[in-house]
Amino acid sequence: MQLLGCDVAALNTVQFSNHTGYRQWTGSKVSSEEITELYRGLKQSYLDDFDMMLSGYVPGAPALEAVGRVAGELKERAETKPGSFFWVLDPVMGDNGNLYVTQDVVPVYRGLIERADLILPNQFEAELLSEVKIVDMSSLGRAIDVLHERYGVPHIVITSVSLSHPDHPDSSLSVVGSSMTSDRRSRAFKIVFPSIDCYFSGTGDMFAALMVVRMREAVCATPGLQEKTSWLSDDSVDALDLPLAKAAEKVLATMHEVLTKTAEGIEETVKKAREGVARETNGDGNKDEQKKTHLLKSKAAELKLVRHVDSLRSPTVEFRARKM
Amino acid sequence: MQLLGCDVAALNTVQFSNHTGYRQWTGSKVSSEEITELYRGLKQSYLDDFDMMLSGYVPGAPALEAVGRVAGELKERAETKPGSFFWVLDPVMGDNGNLYVTQDVVPVYRGLIERADLILPNQFEAELLSEVKIVDMSSLGRAIDVLHERYGVPHIVITSVSLSHPDHPDSSLSVVGSSMTSDRRSRAFKIVFPSIDCYFSGTGDMFAALMVVRMREAVCATPGLQEKTSWLSDDSVDALDLPLAKAAEKVLATMHEVLTKTAEGIEETVKKAREGVARETNGDGNKDEQKKTHLLKSKAAELKLVRHVDSLRSPTVEFRARKM
């Protein structure tokens, strides 16, 4: 976000030694009291004039409620000036059918998304929020309808959709997005892109951070849209012409470039690391060997962000939004 | 640092709502236990292979001792591979004669600088470390001699030196640096630059972060130097040709550009803010009015970093190192 020109005030919800994909870590989580106190500190010094807020992983229901109160207050204050505050909510709960937060976090997110401007669930999280079982593109469409209609969420992007469809080649993934009309109907698009066979961590956070920047950029390109509540395009605007679609195209272009470049050379690194570990542990394939190999693989797969500034700043859009 | 291509693992020593120049803040400080735990977490997942470490403000003597143990361990491990680890220590203790840490922090820093490769004290901190009262350029030179000789600090840059001298025009500041010879003699240079009449916060941190990048860059430009202990240049290298001097020139060029651009428009912003505050408080110049004006001034003076990427990446060097 900073590389793309945003002045960011970061509130760290955890301070961990490393991401949890390593399966071991040390460090601490922020408490709900500290979130509330930090926001009070910002307010008392007139530092709470944010244009946008991005919330990601929040540890536990009480802390999430505290984040919700901050966003709620910022939204309320912005009511007299439509479009002056935009909340991007990434409802981090789990992936591929596994919940990695406690069960009580789910209803809190269901309560919060009503105030969000854009939500970025993955397929599993979209299911949890909408309570629609997603098994194919049509049930995915129904989940989006529920999120627009019942919760009034203006913009939705469902990340890493893996569903078969005549349009979807093998080993492809999709991102599906929609900005609602004035009567809460969906305007859905999808972007299909080749998946890279490598386990990356942090792609959700990267997607969210880039969406913040690219959504604002796309909205600013449409005169007057920034002054509309939740930056909602006129009903006459087609799904493929939505700023949300333009933003998502650009974000995916960056993601694909950075992930491709990260994947280059990983195999070689991992192979060397595996050999080194095998020598050290006499290659008996024991638990220690497996663990060390996993750790070195995780490290090799760390997203190479700062080395690929050009891909962050000016990616080449290759995968275009299509009608659902 | 990220803008300049560094992969950074940040250990936050505080999580505050804002910098302390506002004179009020909320948030928390890290404990010595958490520092130690985070480092243990990095080690157990093979994530402690750092090329450089930058330490800045550390809250209290026990936490500083924990930072010292981390740096000590990294240095020790690097002993078999000279030049493979470089510790930049910014001994944050105070400024302009005022200590803003507790008294017990001072001797801890005196103990730690023996292991540092480059220290970045301001004039007051150089005095505290060397125990030489600095009143003119010649006592400043003596302080540098003590730091090289007694403590064996390889590289020193003293930031924001404000001492009169025929070379120094009114309202100028200097940075004074030195890399020691093999027999611990100083090779000192100074860079004189115009000061900007505005109270900025965070310039020390900005200077330190940039020095990390530029020092490495300058050292890499000299074949073989990266494999020398503490990246110390041969005795035949003149003060003005030191990588440290080249690095400091580039850092100051960036600083001057960013500070100049930050200062542009501040006056107008502050004037407007002052008028707004005066209207609100009926212009009776009371305590509330003074406080609010100070807060808005502090905000207006926040360094404009992300908007001036070009100045960070490729500044124009205008102020050159000169012999002391």
Side-chain angles (χ1 to χ4, degrees):
Chain A
M1 290 174 66
Q2 290 177 311
L3 264 164
L4 295 168
C6 291
D7 250 322
V8 177
L11 193 159
N12 300 300
T13 55
V14 300
Q15 165 139 282
F16 283 174
S17 56
N18 49 268
H19 68 68
T20 57
Y22 286 84
R23 296 180 204 151
Q24 59 177 11
W25 64 90
T26 62
S28 62
K29 300 175 177 183
V30 77
S31 67
S32 73
E33 291 74 24
E34 184 158 359
I35 294 171
T36 305
E37 262 303 280
L38 285 169
Y39 180 61
R40 189 180 66 78
L42 289 167
K43 269 198 300 190
Q44 75 177 358
S45 294
Y46 309 100
L47 295 167
D48 56 339
D49 56 339
F50 299 108
D51 300 310
M52 299 182 78
M53 170 169 149
L54 167 61
S55 60
Y57 172 72
V58 182
L64 182 57
E65 280 160 358
V67 169
R69 282 191 297 273
V70 171
E73 209 175 297
L74 289 168
K75 275 220 82 105
E76 211 170 280
R77 218 190 37 191
E79 266 168 18
T80 53
K81 227 183 137 193
S84 65
F85 177 71
F86 192 97
W87 180 18
V88 180
L89 187 162
D90 185 2
V92 182
M93 291 186 283
D95 207 357
N96 300 313
N98 297 310
L99 207 62
Y100 39 67
V101 293
T102 50
Q103 191 64 52
D104 59 342
V105 166
V106 183
V108 179
Y109 269 122
R110 281 200 201 110
L112 288 183
I113 57 173
E114 299 191 357
R115 293 192 211 150
D117 297 292
L118 163 60
I119 64 170
L120 304 169
N122 58 32
Q123 190 179 313
F124 175 59
E125 290 158 345
E127 216 172 81
L128 288 170
L129 293 174
S130 67
E131 293 167 278
V132 172
K133 181 85 196 141
I134 300 172
V135 292
D136 51 21
M137 289 305 274
S138 105
S139 48
L140 183 80
R142 277 202 305 281
I144 290 176
D145 290 340
V146 166
L147 293 168
H148 282 322
E149 282 166 23
R150 192 190 305 160
Y151 296 97
V153 182
H155 308 275
I156 302 160
V157 176
I158 305 182
T159 58
S160 64
V161 171
S162 172
L163 294 168
S164 61
H165 185 275
D167 287 357
H168 306 172
D170 283 352
S171 76
S172 72
L173 287 172
S174 308
V175 150
V176 175
S178 171
S179 296
M180 71 179 187
T181 59
S182 55
D183 54 353
R184 297 192 172 187
R185 276 176 302 109
S186 70
R187 276 178 285 191
F189 61 86
K190 68 178 176 189
I191 311 175
V192 183
F193 58 95
S195 84
I196 296 168
D197 185 28
C198 180
Y199 188 73
F200 299 109
S201 284
T203 50
D205 291 336
M206 185 181 169
F207 188 92
L210 290 168
M211 271 307 287
V212 167
V213 181
R214 296 306 182 189
M215 182 66 181
R216 186 177 182 88
E217 182 184 69
V219 165
C220 289
T222 309
L225 188 53
Q226 243 191 310
E227 283 80 49
K228 295 267 174 71
T229 301
S230 292
W231 302 346
L232 270 173
S233 300
D234 287 342
D235 289 353
S236 61
V237 177
D238 185 72
L240 303 190
D241 298 324
L242 290 169
L244 189 71
K246 299 289 155 210
E249 283 176 348
K250 222 157 179 181
V251 170
L252 275 180
T254 288
M255 300 283 301
H256 192 69
E257 288 184 22
V258 171
L259 265 52
T260 303
K261 286 166 184 167
T262 299
E264 277 166 18
I266 279 192
E267 250 173 82
E268 194 54 29
T269 309
V270 171
K271 199 181 142 222
K272 268 189 197 155
R274 209 189 291 266
E275 285 164 7
V277 174
R279 259 196 312 279
E280 247 177 67
T281 55
N282 304 315
D284 52 2
N286 62 10
K287 241 179 114 183
D288 272 5
E289 183 179 339
Q290 284 168 27
K291 185 180 159 185
K292 191 164 179 186
T293 303
H294 171 71
L295 295 172
L296 295 173
K297 262 170 93 166
S298 300
K299 191 179 180 194
E302 290 280 5
L303 299 177
K304 292 197 172 40
L305 285 170
V306 295
R307 312 261 173 109
H308 299 297
V309 174
D310 288 345
S311 294
L312 294 170
R313 301 199 136 215
S314 39
T316 308
V317 175
E318 206 181 323
F319 313 108
R320 295 277 174 192
R322 297 193 242 169
K323 271 277 170 67
M324 276 277 274
Chain B
M1 290 174 69
Q2 291 178 310
L3 263 163
L4 295 168
C6 292
D7 250 321
V8 177
L11 194 161
N12 300 300
T13 54
V14 301
Q15 164 139 280
F16 283 175
S17 56
N18 49 269
H19 68 67
T20 57
Y22 286 84
R23 295 181 204 150
Q24 57 178 11
W25 64 89
T26 62
S28 62
K29 299 175 178 183
V30 79
S31 67
S32 73
E33 290 76 21
E34 184 157 1
I35 294 170
T36 305
E37 263 304 279
L38 285 169
Y39 181 61
R40 189 180 66 79
L42 289 167
K43 268 197 301 191
Q44 75 177 358
S45 295
Y46 309 100
L47 294 167
D48 56 339
D49 56 339
F50 299 107
D51 302 308
M52 299 183 78
M53 171 170 147
L54 166 61
S55 60
Y57 172 72
V58 181
L64 182 57
E65 280 161 357
V67 168
R69 281 191 297 272
V70 171
E73 209 175 299
L74 290 168
K75 275 220 84 107
E76 211 169 281
R77 217 191 37 192
E79 265 167 20
T80 53
K81 227 184 137 192
S84 64
F85 178 71
F86 191 97
W87 179 17
V88 180
L89 188 162
D90 185 2
V92 181
M93 291 186 283
D95 206 357
N96 299 314
N98 297 310
L99 207 62
Y100 41 66
V101 294
T102 51
Q103 190 65 51
D104 59 343
V105 165
V106 182
V108 180
Y109 269 122
R110 280 198 203 113
L112 289 182
I113 57 173
E114 297 190 357
R115 294 192 208 149
D117 297 292
L118 164 60
I119 64 169
L120 304 170
N122 58 33
Q123 190 179 315
F124 175 59
E125 290 158 346
E127 216 173 79
L128 289 169
L129 293 173
S130 67
E131 295 167 276
V132 172
K133 180 86 197 142
I134 301 171
V135 292
D136 51 22
M137 290 305 274
S138 105
S139 47
L140 183 80
R142 277 202 306 281
I144 290 176
D145 290 341
V146 167
L147 293 169
H148 282 321
E149 282 166 24
R150 190 188 308 160
Y151 296 96
V153 182
H155 308 274
I156 302 160
V157 176
I158 305 183
T159 58
S160 64
V161 171
S162 171
L163 294 168
S164 61
H165 186 274
D167 286 357
H168 305 172
D170 283 351
S171 76
S172 71
L173 288 171
S174 308
V175 150
V176 176
S178 171
S179 296
M180 70 179 188
T181 58
S182 56
D183 55 353
R184 298 193 172 187
R185 276 176 302 108
S186 70
R187 277 177 283 193
F189 60 87
K190 68 179 177 187
I191 310 175
V192 184
F193 57 96
S195 83
I196 296 170
D197 184 27
C198 180
Y199 187 74
F200 299 110
S201 283
T203 51
D205 291 336
M206 185 180 168
F207 188 92
L210 290 168
M211 271 307 286
V212 168
V213 181
R214 297 305 183 191
M215 182 64 182
R216 186 177 182 86
E217 184 184 70
V219 166
C220 288
T222 309
L225 187 53
Q226 245 192 307
E227 283 81 48
K228 295 267 174 71
T229 300
S230 294
W231 302 346
L232 269 173
S233 301
D234 287 343
D235 289 353
S236 61
V237 177
D238 185 72
L240 302 190
D241 298 324
L242 290 169
L244 189 71
K246 299 290 156 207
E249 283 176 346
K250 221 157 180 181
V251 169
L252 275 179
T254 288
M255 300 283 301
H256 192 69
E257 288 184 24
V258 171
L259 265 50
T260 303
K261 286 167 185 167
T262 300
E264 277 166 20
I266 279 192
E267 250 174 82
E268 192 55 28
T269 309
V270 171
K271 199 181 143 222
K272 269 190 196 154
R274 208 188 291 266
E275 285 165 7
V277 174
R279 259 197 313 279
E280 248 176 65
T281 54
N282 305 314
D284 54 0
N286 61 11
K287 241 178 113 181
D288 274 4
E289 183 180 339
Q290 283 168 27
K291 184 180 160 187
K292 190 164 181 186
T293 303
H294 171 72
L295 295 172
L296 296 172
K297 262 170 95 165
S298 301
K299 190 178 180 194
E302 289 281 4
L303 299 177
K304 291 196 172 41
L305 285 169
V306 296
R307 311 263 173 106
H308 299 296
V309 173
D310 288 346
S311 294
L312 294 169
R313 302 200 135 214
S314 38
T316 309
V317 175
E318 206 181 323
F319 313 108
R320 296 277 175 193
R322 297 192 242 169
K323 272 275 171 65
M324 278 277 275

